[in-house]
Amino acid sequence: MYTVTFDLDGTLLRSPFWRLHLRPWLARVAQAQSATVQDLWDPLDQAADALWRTGDWVGAFDWGTLIEKTLGMALPSLDDPDPQAVRRLVMPYVAQTLPQLLRLPVRYAVVTNGLYAYQVPYLRALGWLGWLSPVITPDLAGTAKPDPRVFSSLGSVLCHVGDRPDHDTVAARRAGVVAVQCGPRPTGHDRVDRLANGHVQPDWEIEDFRELPQLIQRLLAQRTRGYSRDDALRR
Ligand SMILES: [Mg+2]
């Protein structure tokens, strides 16, 4: 059976770790120090970027360690997030399309650049860990998108659905996986692999999740007819 992989932030959910945990904590610390969130965020972002540039693609997303080393503070651990708050961050049409997706003969998994401890609690709060497995994170894979090795434990991947060309599309194309751009491309380019083709294009572009069941069926049909990846890309 084929696996369809999803990016998490900006594809399934609107960055729950940032919105519900990291940013609120930074805001509390900033208030206590008569500073701004930006004052605290900038050195963290720079430290993460410095690690990224040295090739430490796991450390660049390890916000707990970055906060400890940069701010000399401990980020509180993430306990059970409020399911209602998480539900409000589900991307448009994901929940509505879910019944259709679950009827298709494929497995679903997550390939995210957020660490396991920062992503899985939100998927658990939504009750999504039953249909989304495994959740591949940098600390488990030992690397991050756009390194194609993030897909290496997943067997046959039908397509990868994501929002960031510089992470999702590049990783998928490098792995020989069909790249699906979902929704508008975010502005800004942080954590870019300078060796990546800056003009890389996704194989398919969809506006939102409503188009996904049909696309998956189409890709499945092409695969079962024995088409190669390149054939699958011809519309
Ligand atoms: Mg994303």
Side-chain angles (χ1 to χ4, degrees):
M1 194 182 269
Y2 287 105
T3 299
V4 170
T5 56
F6 295 112
D7 164 54
L8 195 150
D9 294 309
T11 301
L12 293 172
L13 298 170
R14 283 190 292 131
S15 307
F17 174 70
W18 168 248
R19 286 168 184 265
L20 300 178
H21 194 69
L22 183 52
R23 188 173 63 185
W25 178 78
L26 287 172
R28 287 197 299 276
V29 174
Q31 198 180 20
Q33 297 183 356
S34 303
T36 65
V37 168
Q38 201 68 40
D39 293 335
L40 298 169
W41 172 250
D42 285 345
L44 282 175
D45 191 35
Q46 282 160 19
D49 201 49
L51 287 182
W52 178 267
R53 278 187 275 106
T54 64
D56 184 354
W57 288 6
V58 179
F61 297 103
D62 182 352
W63 298 108
T65 305
L66 285 161
I67 285 167
E68 213 177 289
K69 287 189 175 159
T70 309
L71 304 178
M73 303 179 84
L75 177 70
S77 67
L78 203 167
D79 299 321
D80 292 329
D82 170 19
Q84 271 193 335
V86 186
R87 230 170 275 134
R88 283 194 285 273
L89 298 179
V90 175
M91 293 294 284
Y93 307 111
V94 173
Q96 295 91 320
T97 310
L98 201 49
Q100 264 177 288
L101 290 174
L102 294 182
R103 281 197 290 272
L104 298 173
V106 290
R107 288 196 189 99
Y108 298 99
V110 173
V111 177
T112 172
N113 277 4
L115 296 202
Y116 196 84
Y118 303 156
Q119 303 291 59
V120 164
Y122 299 106
L123 296 172
R124 187 180 294 121
L126 292 168
W128 282 7
L129 288 177
W131 69 278
L132 280 173
S133 174
V135 179
I136 305 288
T137 60
D139 44 329
L140 292 188
T143 186
K145 296 175 287 185
D147 186 334
R149 287 176 294 176
V150 292
F151 295 103
S152 59
S153 65
L154 288 169
S156 299
V157 179
L158 185 70
C159 61
H160 174 70
V161 184
D163 70 315
R164 275 189 60 171
D166 48 1
H167 286 177
D168 296 300
T169 301
V170 174
R173 296 297 302 267
R174 282 173 164 175
V177 165
V178 171
V180 180
Q181 169 73 34
C182 184
R185 301 166 190 210
T187 51
H189 296 280
D190 56 343
R191 321 283 183 263
V192 172
D193 179 359
R194 283 177 295 172
L195 297 178
N197 174 2
H199 302 287
V200 69
Q201 293 296 318
D203 300 305
W204 293 86
E205 291 195 65
I206 57 174
E207 243 171 76
D208 57 55
F209 261 62
R210 286 175 296 182
E211 295 173 53
L212 194 55
Q214 212 181 350
L215 176 58
I216 291 173
Q217 278 174 317
R218 187 171 181 164
L219 293 173
L220 273 176
Q222 287 172 333
R223 287 291 184 99
T224 50
R225 287 203 301 267
Y227 278 53
S228 70
R229 174 183 172 279
D230 286 340
D231 291 325
L233 306 182
R234 289 194 198 112
R235 300 173 191 210

